């Protein structure tokens, strides 16, 4: 088998590949002309693997990204072709954590400003006096791998660390000597220094804005070596200029290269996205991705796969339509349950249960974790990620199916709450995804990107009332399903809508008696 190393990686990684395969290091030839000759390709960030290029890779079985992100790979196109895409997410954890601590120290002691002044011939000791870190409180938003490494180092500096992450178990906070905050606001209020390590999602984009800054201490400082778009940069500039915040240290920006007003502020420390830029991190990424390529081409377990693992054609034909269903059911179940899940059960009912349904469990966990943790989920690490977060995962296969030939069921139990169950099936040759039950109610509605669910006392006029409320605010109901208990006292309504309903509409529903109305974006 042949492997193309398109961008340079550590020599140890290249040697590992050469010991098993025919390897070409070629960064010059037109990729569209040669990609079809290789079983695997190794890239970094410069190479863009589009759907067209992937289509030309007729022999391609593996794409290895020697780094963290896979934004330069059309993962959906690769998945459709049965190509494994893997990265090296662990390669930069230490480098990113150390960069964060470096920014933290530089921010506290004004080191870059004092350095620049002295280089320019100015001896300004009093102007650049700083503050000590010992005894200060570091707030951490996002307590994944990097956040935990930052916390470990900050504790060593004598800081009190307060962190928030709804998908990390209490034990992990205790093990690291970190205070487990119940809310983001609790972290904001406590922090002398705030560091960000959350994944970038629609929910976290601009999470540090005028409102959140207003909840912080006067004179607090912010560090961001994670994702630039987590911060509303205009709001940050305002807070720094007004004195609400005493400083910021930034390695990432909403648009890069950055050339904006933050560069003109004396109380801002900046670096040009250097978190992963160490020799060790780059070498580590090369070796890790070489190991992933070997595993993929040898038929082993690809532990860093970011897409659906390759399975035999017969199994994929049966399981394929149910994989996106399981993901959507996982996302739906965790939203309906509310809070951090402590237990997840994924059940396959019907002939589907005759197959290896681990892929369905992984898909459900992916739906549960997506946007809530800072790393991809796959069939190898899904159970480990859940275990690290104190979540018990159970897989069931049941030959009997009550309402449909094949049904996937996901049950989520939140901490301190009751189990919430949802189930679904696929219909038609195109594999349309349908909800079969939720909250213990049998219900039949096609899953859509934007949905609203609520329970209520089954009395006359509710359907008309709901339609009027949505129509009055200009929101169109695309589909509606209603189910009720056997005694007819309680009912569940599920709606799919053409666009997300406004918070004001949901608040109105709460105020008129639909207290558990919830809008859920399934994507």
């Amino acid at each position: 088998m042949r492997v193309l190393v398109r961008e340079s990686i550590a020599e140890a990684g290249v040697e590992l590949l050469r010991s098993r395969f025919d390897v070409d290091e070629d960064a010059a030839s037109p990729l569209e002309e040669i990609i079809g000759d290789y079983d695997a390709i190794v890239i970094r960030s410069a190479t863009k693997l589009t759907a067209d290029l992937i289509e030309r890779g007729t022999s391609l079985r593996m794409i290895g990204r020697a780094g963290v992100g896979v934004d330069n790979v059309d993962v959906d196109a690769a998945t459709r072709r049965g190509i494994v895409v893997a990265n090296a997410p662990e390669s930069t954890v230490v480098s990113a954590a150390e960069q964060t601590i470096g920014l933290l120290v530089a921010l506290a002691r004004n080191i870059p400003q004092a350095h620049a002044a002295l280089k320019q011939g100015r001896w300004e000791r009093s102007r650049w006096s700083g503050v000590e870190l010992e005894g200060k409180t570091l707030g951490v938003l996002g307590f994944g791998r990097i956040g935990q490494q930052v916390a470990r180092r900050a504790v060593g500096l004598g800081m009190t660390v307060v962190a928030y992450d709804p998908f990390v178990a209490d034990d992990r906070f205790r093990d690291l000597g970190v205070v487990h905050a119940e809310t983001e606001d609790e972290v904001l209020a406590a922090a002398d220094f705030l560091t960000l390590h959350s994944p970038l999602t629609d929910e976290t984009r601009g999470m540090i804005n005028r409102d959140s800054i207003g909840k912080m201490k006067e004179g607090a400082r912010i560090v961001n070596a994670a994702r630039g778009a987590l911060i509303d940069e205009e709001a940050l500039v305002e807070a720094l200029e007004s004195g609400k915040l005493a400083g910021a240290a930034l390695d990432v920006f909403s648009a890069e290269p950055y050339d904006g007003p933050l560069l003109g502020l004396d109380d801002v420390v900046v670096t040009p996205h250097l978190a992963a830029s160490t020799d060790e991190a780059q070498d580590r990424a090369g070796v890790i991705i070489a190991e992933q390529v070997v595993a993929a081409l040898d038929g082993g377990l690809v532990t860093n796969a970011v897409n659906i693992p390759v399975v035999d054609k017969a199994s994929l034909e049966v399981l394929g339509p149910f994989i996106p269903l399981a993901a959507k059911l996982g996302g739906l179940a965790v939203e309906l349950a509310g809070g951090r899940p402590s237990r997840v059960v994924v059940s396959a009912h019907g002939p589907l249960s005759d197959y290896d349904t681990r892929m369905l469990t992984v898909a459900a966990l992916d739906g549960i974790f997506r946007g809530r943790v800072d790393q991809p989920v796959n069939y190898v690490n899904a159970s480990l990620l859940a275990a690290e977060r104190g979540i018990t995962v159970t897989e069931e296969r049941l030959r009997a199916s009550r309402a449909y030939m094949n049904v996937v069921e996901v049950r989520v139990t939140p901490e301190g709450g009751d189990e919430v169950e949802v189930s679904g099936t696929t219909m038609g040759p195109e594999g349309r995804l349908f909800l079969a039950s939720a909250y213990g109610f049998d219900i039949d509605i096609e899953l859509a990107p934007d949905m609203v669910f609520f329970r209520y006392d089954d009395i006359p006029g509710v359907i008309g009332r709901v339609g009027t409320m949505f129509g009055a605010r200009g929101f169109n109901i695309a589909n509606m399903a209603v189910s009720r208990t056997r005694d007819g006292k309680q009912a569940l309504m599920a709606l799919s809508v053409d666009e997300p309903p406004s918070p004001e509409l949901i608040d109105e529903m709460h105020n008129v008696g639909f207290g558990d109305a919830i809008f859920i974006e399934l994507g």
Side-chain angles (χ1 to χ4, degrees), residues 388-408:
E388 287 177 345
R389 288 157 176 79
I391 301 170
T392 302
V393 179
T394 303
E395 183 177 307
E396 297 177 344
R397 296 191 226 174
L398 305 169
R399 198 64 174 81
S401 182
R402 184 162 55 88
Y404 300 93
M405 179 177 290
N406 287 305
V407 170
V408 176

Side-chain angles (χ1 to χ4, degrees), residues 146-463:
I146 297 172
Q148 291 177 23
Q149 291 298 322
V150 169
R152 187 193 304 274
R153 288 160 173 76
V155 169
L157 291 171
M159 301 187 78
T160 298
V161 181
V162 179
Y164 171 75
D165 192 317
F167 281 80
V168 176
D170 287 338
D171 289 349
R172 191 59 182 152
F173 291 85
R174 286 195 295 269
D175 290 346
L176 293 172
V178 173
V179 178
H180 185 185
E182 296 298 325
T183 65
E184 288 185 8
D185 287 354
E186 186 179 336
V187 174
L188 294 172
D192 298 305
F193 292 81
L194 178 70
T195 180
L196 308 179
H197 300 285
S198 298
L200 181 60
T201 68
D202 289 340
E203 290 74 23
T204 61
R205 188 180 300 275
M207 64 187 293
I208 302 303
N209 49 42
R210 290 178 180 86
D211 180 57
S212 55
I213 291 172
K215 298 173 182 177
M216 297 179 68
K217 292 179 178 180
E218 295 290 327
R221 295 168 171 86
I222 293 177
V223 176
N224 186 16
R227 287 94 179 163
L230 295 174
I231 295 179
D232 178 339
E233 290 166 351
E234 183 178 336
L236 179 60
V237 170
E238 291 177 3
L240 291 166
E241 289 181 336
S242 71
K244 168 65 178 179
L245 295 178
L250 309 171
D251 183 54
V252 288
F253 303 88
S254 58
E256 297 177 356
Y258 178 77
D259 184 22
L262 287 164
L263 301 184
L265 301 179
D266 286 342
D267 47 6
V268 176
V269 175
V270 291
T271 49
H273 204 147
L274 297 178
S277 298
T278 63
D279 293 343
E280 293 84 354
Q282 298 305 310
D283 287 349
R284 197 179 298 123
V287 173
I288 289 173
I289 209 61
E291 293 170 345
Q292 298 297 298
V293 171
V294 171
L297 297 187
D298 282 353
L301 299 177
V302 185
T303 56
N304 289 343
V306 300
N307 59 347
I308 299 168
V310 177
V311 298
D312 64 87
K313 186 176 181 180
S315 295
L316 191 58
E317 286 178 355
V318 176
L319 295 173
F322 293 91
I323 292 170
L325 172 66
K328 289 186 181 296
L329 291 175
L332 176 59
V334 76
E335 289 291 336
L336 292 179
R340 195 185 76 84
S342 61
R343 184 170 184 264
V344 175
V345 180
V346 182
S347 302
H349 299 256
L352 191 67
S353 63
D354 292 337
Y355 295 84
D356 185 350
T357 57
R358 286 179 301 165
M359 291 177 63
L360 301 181
T361 301
V362 171
L365 290 172
D366 181 62
I368 289 169
F369 288 137
R370 185 176 294 276
R372 299 175 179 90
V373 298
D374 61 352
Q375 62 195 105
V377 183
N378 58 54
Y379 74 110
V380 172
N381 70 358
S383 296
L384 177 60
L385 290 177
E388 287 177 345
R389 288 157 176 79
I391 301 170
T392 302
V393 179
T394 303
E395 183 177 307
E396 297 177 344
R397 296 191 226 174
L398 305 169
R399 198 64 174 81
S401 182
R402 184 162 55 88
Y404 300 93
M405 179 177 290
N406 287 305
V407 170
V408 176
E409 179 186 40
V410 179
R411 307 197 300 272
V412 171
T413 304
E415 279 188 345
D418 298 326
E419 181 181 78
V420 171
E421 165 270 338
V422 298
S423 69
T425 191
T426 64
M427 295 185 184
E430 67 276 21
R432 294 163 63 194
L433 310 182
F434 275 77
L435 185 66
S437 67
Y439 282 136
F441 292 84
D442 291 333
I443 197 162
D444 183 9
I445 187 170
E446 186 170 8
L447 291 169
D450 299 313
M451 302 195 74
V452 177
F453 293 83
F454 58 94
R455 292 169 288 189
Y456 59 94
D457 293 330
D458 192 20
I459 57 175
V462 172
I463 293 175

